[in-house]
Amino acid sequence: MAEARDERGWLAVVADRAWPGRPTRWTDLPTRLRPTLAWVLRLTSAAVIAWLIAGRVTGISTDLTAPLTALLVVQASAFSTLRMSVLRVGAVLTGVLVAVAFSALAGLSWWSLAAVIAASLVLAKVFRLGEQALEVPISAMLILAVGSADVAAEARVALTLVGAAVGVVFNLLLPSAVPSGRAGLAVLRVAYAMADCLDRASRSMATDRLRRSEVERWADETRGVAARVAEASAVVTQVKEGRRFNPRALTTTDVEPGLREGLDRLEASLLAIRALFTVILAELPPDADGDEAAGAAADDAFDEDARQALSVVLADVADCLRAYGRLVHAEAGGAQERAEEALAESLEILRETRAILTELLTSRPEGRVELWLLRGSVLAAVEQVLVQLDLERRARLRAAWQRPTPISVVAPLVRDALPGARTRRHGSWSGAPDAVSGTSTTHQPR
């Protein structure tokens, strides 16, 4: 029985690392997979429709230029504004024209491939395509690979225009979902990375005295987490940009303020943790051959009881960071009740262990000023994390940004004003969920 429990616990840890924020019940799995299936269906439909329309318009059914162009335009405009969609179409068309020109002059060889790539990159710079520059050589190479040799250049251009038109129409009539779930997952991964760093420090501190080399490694790991913060910030920015010119944004809650605030709080907590490791590092001498000098200095700063207590506090801080990340992720999906309870419990445990650590550090009779500064900095860092992860502040913020969207307020009024609305409300509409003013659906992580 004990081995089975250990195996289940190990599998749960692996599953959490592989899929942070994974559903815990089988009944939740279809809801989490639905956005991915919708994404696959959307791209597949655009490519097939482009191929059918291109065949009707040009009479050519053996060339895949049209579906390829539609696929590139639709998938790359998933999180883009109207301007970015236009840039994408321009990049694809430029790449296709380059490929058509070179395929008319020479076949596919190493030198023609190099010429296509070089010319595509130069044109991308000339047309100032910015982030879409790489799409020009990519489109050109794909056209060279899948284009039929017996298709004329004029027909290839016509097929490209048909595919681009289908892609643009798809983005206008069937806009992509706002990537709220993807952004929530990015924030969650930041929280997990911070927590993993603290867990490693906690385990090391619980088994052995402090060493300068280990503390330096912990500080380096926190600097690595800063890169994850930058990546998550870019994804959260995509949520804000993805709502522009997107009709689906009218029926969904704008979760970008909550995601941005949650990421800012995690970043502030990361700075506090880095400051904690920095002040500890400042009091430790370089590791000696026998580590006697370093061990004595570490024992002066933290005796056995204080070191064990600090180890427990760091583990509890890690639990709070994971719980906070899960809360931010759950808020993006509109289901934060369980996550909020878990965070409240983790914060309460941290406050208790922080009180024990405070008593141990402040009751020591040492009179060295630097030790008092070190211990005070340790306690201040833990307090800073508690302040940043405060649940009441998070609830006030959530009440501000989880307001009904304009369409969810107007839609019930319009519905009630329609003829027979009262009959439908008491008849066939009774007991049915309100598709407009009910819980908003957002893109969940895959």
Side-chain angles (χ1 to χ4, degrees):
M1 293 296 293
E3 294 180 357
R5 285 195 299 270
D6 292 341
E7 183 178 356
R8 285 195 298 269
W10 179 80
L11 291 176
V13 171
V14 173
D16 285 337
R17 296 292 184 273
W19 190 356
R22 61 185 175 85
T24 56
R25 298 178 299 179
W26 286 107
T27 55
D28 296 334
L29 190 60
T31 302
R32 300 293 295 276
L33 294 180
R34 189 179 299 119
T36 301
L37 297 178
W39 174 73
V40 172
L41 179 61
R42 183 170 178 267
L43 296 182
T44 304
S45 301
V48 173
I49 292 174
W51 183 77
L52 293 174
I53 295 177
R56 290 294 184 91
V57 172
T58 63
I60 300 174
S61 60
T62 59
D63 190 88
L64 299 179
T65 302
L68 175 60
T69 304
L71 191 65
L72 289 172
V73 172
V74 173
Q75 68 88 19
S77 301
F79 310 124
S80 302
T81 60
L82 182 61
R83 175 180 176 273
M84 193 61 66
S85 298
V86 173
L87 287 177
R88 174 57 55 130
V89 174
V92 173
L93 287 176
T94 303
V96 171
L97 292 175
V98 171
V100 169
F102 275 87
S103 62
L105 297 175
L108 180 60
S109 62
W110 69 266
W111 66 266
S112 62
L113 178 62
V116 165
I117 295 175
S120 299
L121 292 176
V122 170
L123 289 176
K125 289 295 184 181
V126 171
F127 294 145
R128 299 179 181 179
L129 296 179
E131 297 179 355
Q132 309 303 321
L134 286 180
E135 293 303 323
V136 180
I138 291 174
S139 302
M141 287 187 292
L142 290 175
I143 294 301
L144 284 176
V146 304
S148 301
D150 56 348
V151 178
E154 296 81 2
R156 189 74 56 75
V157 174
L159 291 170
T160 303
L161 293 175
V162 171
V166 171
V168 172
V169 170
F170 248 76
N171 285 331
L172 293 177
L173 299 181
L174 297 174
S176 59
V178 180
S180 304
R182 180 167 169 256
L185 181 59
V187 176
L188 179 62
R189 285 173 175 166
V190 170
Y192 268 65
M194 294 171 58
D196 290 344
C197 176
L198 289 178
D199 279 339
R200 287 188 286 270
S202 174
R203 288 192 296 267
S204 177
M205 195 175 295
T207 56
D208 199 359
R209 62 178 54 171
L210 291 174
R211 287 183 172 83
R212 186 178 183 86
S213 58
E214 291 185 350
V215 181
E216 288 176 345
R217 185 173 67 253
W218 303 340
D220 290 339
E221 290 176 355
T222 59
R223 283 188 284 271
V225 176
R228 289 181 174 266
V229 173
E231 295 173 0
S233 179
V235 179
V236 173
T237 301
Q238 289 179 352
V239 174
K240 184 176 182 179
E241 295 179 351
R243 296 183 64 85
R244 299 174 181 173
F245 307 105
N246 192 339
R248 298 183 67 170
L250 297 175
T251 58
T252 58
T253 303
D254 184 9
V255 299
E256 189 271 339
L259 292 171
R260 177 62 63 186
E261 177 72 12
L263 184 61
D264 290 343
R265 297 299 173 189
L266 288 174
E267 186 176 13
S269 300
L270 178 63
L271 293 176
I273 295 170
R274 290 179 61 180
L276 168 63
F277 292 151
T278 300
V279 296
I280 294 177
L281 194 62
E283 297 300 324
L284 295 178
D287 293 340
D289 294 337
D291 279 344
E292 295 297 333
D299 291 340
D300 287 342
F302 299 100
D303 58 16
E304 178 69 18
D305 293 336
R307 182 167 52 80
Q308 293 291 337
L310 180 57
S311 171
V312 174
V313 167
L314 292 182
D316 291 339
V317 171
D319 291 339
C320 290
L321 291 172
R322 290 193 187 93
Y324 189 80
R326 287 193 292 266
L327 175 60
V328 175
H329 180 262
E331 287 174 343
Q336 66 274 356
E337 288 79 8
R338 293 183 181 177
E340 195 171 36
E341 294 175 359
L343 176 59
E345 182 179 351
S346 297
L347 289 173
E348 183 62 29
I349 294 174
L350 177 57
R351 292 188 182 96
E352 294 176 359
T353 54
R354 189 273 310 267
I356 297 175
L357 177 62
T358 302
E359 182 178 356
L360 287 173
L361 294 182
T362 57
S363 61
R364 295 300 185 263
E366 291 88 346
R368 292 171 55 190
V369 176
E370 60 270 20
L371 292 184
W372 284 105
L373 293 176
L374 170 61
R375 294 165 183 173
S377 299
V378 170
L379 297 176
V382 177
E383 180 63 26
Q384 180 67 11
V385 174
L386 283 170
V387 170
Q388 296 299 329
L389 306 186
D390 182 62
L391 196 55
E392 293 183 0
R393 175 188 295 181
R394 187 70 190 176
R396 290 194 298 269
L397 174 68
R398 185 169 60 246
W401 60 263
Q402 282 189 344
R403 293 174 179 172
T405 58
I407 192 172
S408 66
V409 175
V410 175
L413 301 178
V414 176
R415 183 190 63 194
D416 293 341
L418 295 175
R422 185 179 302 276
T423 303
R424 288 195 299 270
R425 186 168 62 247
H426 292 287
S428 60
W429 282 3
S430 62
D434 192 339
V436 178
S437 60
T439 304
S440 61
T441 58
T442 55
H443 181 72
Q444 295 292 340
R446 287 177 282 171

